[in-house]
Amino acid sequence: MSHIIGKGRCISCQVRHLSIFANLSTQYLGELCDFQPTVMTYTAKEFIYRQGDSPNNAFTLRKGLIKLIKSLPDGRIQIVRILKSGDLFGFDGFAHQDYNQSAIALSDCEICHLPLAGLQKLRLQRPEIDQAMMQRWIQSLHDAENMMLDLGAKKASERLANFLVNWGESEQDGWKKMPLSRQEVGNLLGLTVETVSRFLSDWKRRGVIQERKGCIRIKDKKHLCEVINPKGTCG
Amino acid sequence: MSHIIGKGRCISCQVRHLSIFANLSTQYLGELCDFQPTVMTYTAKEFIYRQGDSPNNAFTLRKGLIKLIKSLPDGRIQIVRILKSGDLFGFDGFAHQDYNQSAIALSDCEICHLPLAGLQKLRLQRPEIDQAMMQRWIQSLHDAENMMLDLGAKKASERLANFLVNWGESEQDGWKKMPLSRQEVGNLLGLTVETVSRFLSDWKRRGVIQERKGCIRIKDKKHLCEVINPKGTCG
DNA sequence: GAATTTATTTGATATATATCAATGCACAAA
DNA sequence: TTTGTGCATTGATATATATCAAATAAATTC
């Protein structure tokens, strides 16, 4: 279950430099702090908010991973974004709109709840916040556009190979964390579990990738790049 | 071909109330004007910019329609957004990024070119611009998320029916402009021309829709709503 | 550790949509 | 009017991916 672990101490916040407040001076960080952002923990699979809820807060993710999903009445699901440390989410309230997606913890999370009213006030005083949000806007839209291209124009293998190569970050030993289940990868890429499983099994069999307990390693990147880029040249 | 038709007279601009400058006072509109926004016309099918170009401007669409597309090396295409009067586009430069999509005129267009430098300067002085851009950010992301849901989770008929019902605006006589070719509808919905054509023909045969010279009319909205919402209740 | 539950894999089959190919139609050019 | 050119339609067929079902494997609970 979720529970409060304290009021945010913005000045000493460990994800400050990743957040939209990265360029805020200590003076204004203090003011941000006065708005009483509340830090809460959530356990994996818990909802932070649901599509249709009325927003009182925006959120900054401090620890863990979150998926934003949209769902249809009959249960079909699309993951529209995966959030990592420092990401701002649930800002629909800025446009006086209800949440357009649901936010669900992928892993145990630590989330800072930012009261909308206070944030709006601070925004008007400090243009660097808007500047930071603008950067994120553009990045989010680029991500969304790339995803539309994937979903609308690419084949299953292309989407999956692209996901494996470009999602997350590898350790120096080449292994990277893969915190999504097959089902979730499917929900992200518009595929069924079975299709995801089949391609992964096939690539494992052929030595293109390796897998162990929540991690994968790409052994033959060239192969995956050729899948991604059927015509183009591959490095 | 495109050509310049003059420097923008922002105060008397016919799409001002639709633009991000809607709430700007006349004083600051004057200042905006000093940045010398240039109004240009483009003919249908012309590129306004290409994916990968370096931005010097952002744009406001004054007249006509524009499609933003992303394409793959082998020619596959995804339309990621369709713009109408008052829409801001090509703002990638705000994040010091190259254009992430190409912008192509769907019809003959009139477009205001806003020099980035000037716009940035004005933004810092007038928070209402950022406020307006924020609203658009949130709306654009909602649109993109809905489209991801469509492309990733819905069937061809659902996407197409949804498009017919919810895209564009009907005249009071029930007819609505349909300026997209079958091919373009396909590029928007992640389908082939043939698939689009087949469903439309079928619905025409069954009297669900009518079509004439660039316009369509929905005769049996209930039918289309049931296609869109297979399980749910339909008004 | 045994018992349950949940996630993954694999196979057989179905089906929606793509692909390929041909024809028809509308509008522009000559 | 004819001739062309692009777009839309229709049909036949192929195929990628979904669906259904069962067998393993892994994770949780007792």
Side-chain angles (χ1 to χ4, degrees):
Chain A
M1 264 305 292
S2 64
H3 65 279
I4 300 178
I5 62 168
K7 294 294 172 185
R9 297 285 310 121
C10 304
I11 289 122
S12 58
C13 174
Q14 71 268 41
V15 298
R16 179 160 69 83
H17 62 293
L18 296 172
S19 79
I20 54 166
F21 308 113
N23 295 317
L24 214 57
S25 69
T26 23
Q27 179 199 343
Y28 285 103
L29 274 178
E31 234 177 90
L32 172 59
C33 225
D34 294 343
F35 295 131
Q36 303 266 1
T38 308
V39 179
M40 292 183 73
T41 57
Y42 290 81
T43 56
K45 304 192 187 194
E46 230 182 313
F47 280 78
I48 292 86
Y49 58 76
R50 294 184 134 85
Q51 190 171 350
D53 287 354
S54 297
N56 297 311
N57 298 293
F59 306 88
T60 297
L61 181 53
R62 285 161 57 103
K63 239 188 239 165
L65 288 174
I66 286 177
K67 59 180 173 182
L68 299 185
I69 73 163
K70 292 198 54 96
S71 48
L72 294 169
D74 66 355
R76 283 175 288 176
I77 276 175
Q78 180 64 39
I79 297 179
V80 296
R81 200 161 161 228
I82 293 175
L83 304 161
K84 54 183 201 320
S85 296
D87 283 344
L88 178 76
F89 66 106
F91 39 69
D92 310 71
F94 281 127
H96 310 291
Q97 301 219 13
D98 291 342
Y99 294 123
N100 191 52
Q101 357 76 14
S102 300
I104 303 175
L106 269 172
S107 61
D108 292 349
C109 287
E110 217 176 281
I111 296 169
C112 184
H113 294 228
L114 305 158
L116 275 180
L119 201 45
Q120 282 286 30
K121 209 168 136 199
L122 193 57
R123 261 191 58 227
L124 293 176
Q125 296 166 52
R126 305 309 315 152
E128 59 267 43
I129 296 180
D130 277 349
Q131 180 62 35
M133 290 180 83
M134 187 98 65
Q135 307 276 341
R136 277 148 198 271
W137 168 26
I138 292 165
Q139 190 54 56
S140 308
L141 269 184
H142 285 190
D143 292 347
E145 286 163 359
N146 290 335
M147 201 150 152
M148 286 186 242
L149 179 65
D150 272 32
L151 294 171
K154 290 188 193 168
K155 295 191 299 178
S157 54
E158 297 173 82
R159 291 180 226 174
L160 191 54
N162 180 46
F163 170 76
L164 290 179
V165 172
N166 294 118
W167 195 83
E169 277 149 51
S170 297
E171 309 290 315
Q172 61 281 23
D173 61 359
W175 288 94
K176 72 165 86 168
K177 274 268 164 53
M178 176 44 59
L180 303 188
S181 69
R182 305 293 197 251
Q183 180 63 67
E184 283 165 331
V185 174
N187 288 341
L188 180 70
L189 303 179
L191 304 170
T192 57
V193 213
E194 294 95 329
T195 301
V196 173
S197 178
R198 272 185 245 274
F199 278 107
L200 292 180
S201 297
D202 185 48
W203 287 333
K204 275 193 277 187
R205 235 174 275 125
R206 301 156 93 131
V208 178
I209 58 171
Q210 286 182 299
E211 195 176 26
R212 72 173 186 208
K213 209 178 143 30
C215 297
I216 66 145
R217 177 158 63 168
I218 297 169
K219 298 271 287 178
D220 185 352
K221 189 162 178 174
K222 188 144 169 289
H223 182 96
L224 289 183
C225 285
E226 279 161 11
V227 173
I228 294 173
N229 221 359
K231 284 280 163 61
T233 42
C234 281
Chain B
M1 264 306 289
S2 63
H3 64 278
I4 300 178
I5 61 169
K7 294 293 173 187
R9 298 285 311 122
C10 304
I11 287 120
S12 58
C13 173
Q14 71 268 41
V15 298
R16 179 160 70 82
H17 62 292
L18 295 172
S19 79
I20 54 166
F21 308 111
N23 295 317
L24 213 57
S25 68
T26 22
Q27 179 199 342
Y28 286 104
L29 274 178
E31 233 176 90
L32 173 58
C33 227
D34 294 342
F35 296 130
Q36 303 266 1
T38 309
V39 180
M40 292 182 73
T41 56
Y42 290 82
T43 56
K45 304 192 187 193
E46 227 181 317
F47 279 77
I48 292 86
Y49 58 76
R50 293 183 134 86
Q51 188 169 352
D53 287 355
S54 297
N56 298 311
N57 298 293
F59 307 88
T60 297
L61 180 54
R62 286 160 59 104
K63 240 187 238 164
L65 288 174
I66 286 177
K67 58 179 173 182
L68 299 185
I69 73 163
K70 290 197 56 95
S71 47
L72 292 170
D74 66 355
R76 283 175 289 176
I77 275 174
Q78 180 63 39
I79 297 179
V80 296
R81 197 158 163 229
I82 294 174
L83 303 160
K84 53 183 202 320
S85 296
D87 282 344
L88 178 75
F89 67 105
F91 38 69
D92 310 70
F94 281 126
H96 310 291
Q97 301 219 13
D98 291 343
Y99 293 123
N100 191 52
Q101 356 77 16
S102 301
I104 304 175
L106 269 172
S107 61
D108 292 349
C109 287
E110 216 176 282
I111 296 169
C112 183
H113 294 228
L114 305 157
L116 273 180
L119 200 45
Q120 282 287 28
K121 207 166 139 201
L122 192 58
R123 261 191 58 227
L124 293 176
Q125 295 167 53
R126 307 307 316 150
E128 58 266 42
I129 296 180
D130 277 350
Q131 179 63 34
M133 289 181 81
M134 187 98 64
Q135 306 276 341
R136 277 148 198 272
W137 167 26
I138 292 165
Q139 190 55 55
S140 308
L141 270 184
H142 285 190
D143 292 347
E145 285 164 0
N146 290 335
M147 200 149 153
M148 287 186 241
L149 179 66
D150 272 33
L151 294 171
K154 291 189 192 168
K155 294 190 301 178
S157 55
E158 297 173 84
R159 292 179 224 174
L160 192 54
N162 180 47
F163 170 75
L164 290 179
V165 172
N166 295 117
W167 195 82
E169 277 150 50
S170 298
E171 309 288 315
Q172 61 281 21
D173 61 1
W175 289 94
K176 72 166 85 167
K177 275 268 164 52
M178 176 45 58
L180 303 188
S181 69
R182 303 293 195 251
Q183 180 64 65
E184 283 166 329
V185 174
N187 289 340
L188 180 69
L189 303 179
L191 303 169
T192 57
V193 214
E194 293 95 330
T195 301
V196 173
S197 178
R198 273 185 245 275
F199 278 107
L200 292 179
S201 297
D202 185 49
W203 287 333
K204 275 193 277 187
R205 235 173 275 128
R206 300 155 92 130
V208 178
I209 58 172
Q210 285 182 302
E211 194 175 27
R212 74 175 182 206
K213 207 179 143 34
C215 297
I216 66 144
R217 176 157 63 167
I218 297 169
K219 298 272 288 178
D220 186 351
K221 189 162 177 176
K222 186 145 169 289
H223 182 95
L224 288 183
C225 285
E226 279 162 10
V227 173
I228 295 172
N229 221 358
K231 284 281 163 61
T233 43
C234 281

